[in-house]
Amino acid sequence: MLAIVVPTIVAIFAFAFGFAPQMPEPLHARWAHSGRIEMVVWSIPTLTVILLGGVAWIGAHQLDPAKPIEGAQKALRIQAVSLDGSGCSSIPIRESRRSIH
C-alpha cells in the first residue's frame, strides 16, 4: 500500500509547490504536450502494476504444490480416494433431475 500512497503524496506536493502562486516565477504548464508531466502521470501506475505483478509472481511460485513443506516433524503420508460429483453430495438427487443434468 505504501508503494502507491508515498509516490502519490510526493507528486501532490511537487505539483502544489511547482504551480503555487506565491512563488517568484510559478511554473506554467504547456498543455499542448509536456513530456515530464506525461512521464510522471504514466510512471506511477506502471510502477504500481510492475510491483504488484512481481509480488503476485513471487507469491505464486512460493506456493508450489510439488515443493515439500519444511518442518521439524516427519512428513505425514495419507491415502485419499476421489469420488465423482454425485458421490460427494450428501443431498439425494432424484432420478428425474439426474437425467436432465
Side-chain angles (χ1 to χ4, degrees):
M1 185 170 150
L2 287 177
I4 298 170
V5 173
V6 171
T8 304
I9 292 173
V10 169
I12 288 170
F13 283 112
F15 280 102
F17 286 116
F19 293 107
Q22 68 266 21
M23 299 287 285
E25 289 186 30
L27 299 174
H28 294 289
R30 293 186 190 99
W31 295 113
H33 179 71
S34 175
R36 282 189 241 162
I37 291 176
E38 199 156 333
M39 178 68 89
V40 170
V41 167
W42 285 105
S43 66
I44 294 173
T46 303
L47 292 174
T48 303
V49 168
I50 290 170
L51 176 75
L52 294 177
V55 169
W57 179 276
I58 291 169
H61 283 83
Q62 286 177 346
L63 297 174
D64 184 16
K67 181 179 170 184
I69 300 173
E70 297 176 10
Q73 299 175 348
K74 185 179 175 184
L76 178 65
R77 215 162 158 82
I78 62 168
Q79 292 181 354
V81 176
S82 171
L83 301 174
D84 63 348
S86 63
C88 294
S89 175
S90 62
I91 301 171
I93 300 174
R94 294 182 294 179
E95 271 312 304
S96 62
R97 288 189 138 189
R98 185 175 283 182
S99 62
I100 295 172
H101 296 280

